Every structure is written in structure tokens, then in C-alpha cells.
Amino acid sequence: MNVPTANIAADAPVLPREREKDIAILVLNRPDVRNSLSEAMLIALSSALGDIAADNTVRAVLLAANGSAFCAGHDLKELTSRRSDADGGRAYFHHLMTTCSDMMQQIVHLPQPIIAAVQGVATAAGCQLVASCDLAVASRNARFATPGVTIGLFCSTPMVALSRNVARKHAMEMLLTGGAVSATEAQRIGLINRVVAPGGERDEAIALAQKIAGKSALTVKIGKAAFYRQLELGLADAYAYASEVMVENMLARDAEEGMSAFIDKRKPQWEDR
């Protein structure tokens, strides 16, 4: 459930962690600043993802947010405050962009699928966050944008994730105009999977996560890693790589069990090996 800003204590953690059986839930919790990605938030996300990657009891992950916005991108006040540094902020800007980029890659490399539940606006690095997730469910009220160009700061790092989700001309229009797209349009161009009634995005995302959680965790891990790896390869190399993945997957105990269960018309008993 989305928690109103007024009900969140000032000393509340920036990223509370919840659990729904075998689904881990991470909640962006800086609603007073539209869940902007401060350095503390980036560190908290990186730490949580590291913990989840090593937790075999987690089979899927949900990324949600409290307040009216999902994530408004980087904390511009935090960034601007470093312009008084001796180097004009260069070292800190480099540190923060690297920290953010590393965290986004953690999402991609996470063994478990991660689903964004977007209730409000997701802009700049917030849009990047949605694009980095494997799946995304959004409220009809959600909006998506990469508006950096309007303040003289092109959304170059959000562009990396965005351009790997939508076709070039759709990505370029968002990047060059800075204009927002509706949830319906975001679904049409491939940025998100589903649009639901306001307030239903988290439940829909959990239902989607539960479907995934019912599969072999080993098979899902193999498939997710292979999906992103083959995207970066040429056609022949992608087929050669995927063929080897299929062979190794075929030799796994869960593949043997799954095929036997299909033939025997029974429910498979996964061992995740």
C-alpha cells in the first residue's frame, strides 16, 4: 500500500524492506522530495540488492515507492551544493554518477527478477530506474520523462536504460523534448508491461511476482542472465551463446524434473538446482 507523506516519520529509513513470502519488497521512502535518488538512497539500494542477490529464499523482487511520486531522479539540491567544492564538484559528480550506474547494473545482474510498481511520476534517473527493472506495472496516473534537456543537463545515463527498452525514435523524442508520456503511451512503446487503476499497481506487481516465484529459481536465474547477455551480441554469437546455455540448462535437475512432470501431467517439484 502506498503510504501518504504525512504518515511517514522524519527519521524513517530511506528504503524500508518488506517481505511477502518469497518476494522481497523495497520501498523508496523520501516522499517529501519525490523519492529523489540522494547518495544515501543509492547506497541503500545497492546494499539491499547485494543482500537479496545472496538470499536464496527470495525468488522475486518488487520495487515500489511511498508518496505521490515514484522517483524524480537525482537530488538536484544535493548535486548543486557541491559546486562550491575546489574542483567545482567534478569529483563528487563523477562519484555519484558512477554509484548510480553501478546500482542500475546491479538490478540487471540481480539473479532474481525485479518488478517496478509505479504509482506516480518517474523522471530522469527515476525513469532510468523503471527501465532498468525487468518488468514494470504502472498506475494510470503515472507519467514518465527524461526532462534533463530542459534544465541544460541531458539525461545521458538514463538514456542507456531507456534506449534498451524502447525503439530509438521513441527514446530520442523523450530525450530531446523532455516531454512526459502517459502510462498508456509508456506501455505502447515498451517501457512498462501493464497499466492498472490507481492504487492497484502494487497488488498487480505482487501478483506478477508470485507467478514468477512459482517457477524454478535456477531456471529463472539462468534465463534472466542469458536474456541480457545475448542482447549485446551479434545474431550468430547470440545463437551460439544461447545454445550453450540451453545445453547446460538441460542438464540441470530442475529441467529434468520439469520435463518429466510435463510428460507425467503432474506439478513439478523444484529443487532450484
Side-chain angles (χ1 to χ4, degrees):
M1 179 180 294
N2 184 36
V3 179
T5 304
N7 296 338
I8 297 174
D11 59 349
V14 297
L15 189 75
R17 305 186 197 184
E18 303 172 10
R19 191 70 180 256
E20 179 79 24
K21 296 182 180 178
D22 45 13
I23 300 167
I25 303 173
L26 304 178
V27 185
L28 305 179
N29 194 40
R30 301 184 73 216
D32 55 320
V33 288
R34 298 163 70 81
N35 294 313
S36 58
L37 296 178
S38 63
E39 184 176 9
M41 179 71 86
L42 291 171
I43 292 171
L45 278 164
S46 181
S47 176
L49 293 168
D51 291 344
I52 290 168
D55 188 345
N56 292 332
T57 68
V58 175
R59 304 177 78 88
V61 184
L62 183 69
L63 180 62
N66 285 327
S68 60
F70 177 77
C71 178
H74 288 294
D75 188 327
L76 296 184
K77 289 184 179 179
E78 184 177 71
L79 287 169
T80 300
S81 70
R82 302 304 292 260
R83 291 192 181 279
S84 59
D85 291 357
D87 62 354
R90 176 183 290 273
Y92 184 75
F93 299 160
H94 185 272
H95 161 71
L96 197 72
M97 292 304 119
T98 301
T99 299
C100 183
S101 296
D102 288 347
M103 185 277 294
M104 297 292 178
Q105 291 176 80
Q106 275 185 276
I107 292 174
V108 175
H109 297 308
L110 193 72
Q112 304 93 334
I114 181 166
I115 305 169
V118 187
Q119 86 287 10
V121 296
T123 59
C127 186
Q128 178 185 5
L129 193 57
V130 175
S132 296
C133 289
D134 304 299
L135 303 170
V137 175
S139 158
R140 197 164 50 240
N141 291 340
R143 296 291 183 271
F144 303 84
T146 48
V149 68
T150 63
I151 62 168
L153 183 65
F154 200 84
C155 284
S156 298
T157 45
M159 171 181 68
V160 175
L162 181 67
S163 64
R164 282 163 169 74
N165 277 241
V166 306
R168 291 183 181 185
K169 285 183 171 56
H170 293 303
M172 284 298 281
E173 183 174 352
M174 290 181 67
L175 291 160
L176 290 172
T177 68
V181 300
S182 68
T184 301
E185 178 68 1
Q187 182 184 33
R188 187 185 73 81
I189 66 176
L191 181 57
I192 64 173
N193 298 86
R194 302 179 184 178
V195 179
V196 297
E201 61 283 340
R202 202 174 295 193
D203 287 343
E204 182 70 13
I206 288 175
L208 189 55
Q210 288 171 336
K211 289 182 180 180
I212 296 168
K215 309 297 189 292
S216 159
L218 174 68
T219 304
V220 170
K221 176 183 177 180
I222 291 171
K224 175 176 173 175
F227 177 82
Y228 290 112
R229 172 78 183 278
Q230 63 84 27
L231 283 176
E232 305 303 322
L233 301 173
L235 184 63
D237 288 339
Y239 269 116
Y241 165 70
S243 295
E244 290 302 315
V245 172
M246 286 285 287
V247 170
E248 293 303 317
N249 194 170
M250 189 82 73
L251 295 171
R253 183 268 168 197
D254 277 1
E256 181 181 4
E257 164 63 11
M259 287 185 281
S260 295
F262 179 80
I263 293 168
D264 297 341
K265 296 182 171 58
R266 61 176 173 82
K267 185 176 180 180
Q269 300 298 312
W270 305 125
E271 295 182 14
D272 301 327
R273 62 181 181 87

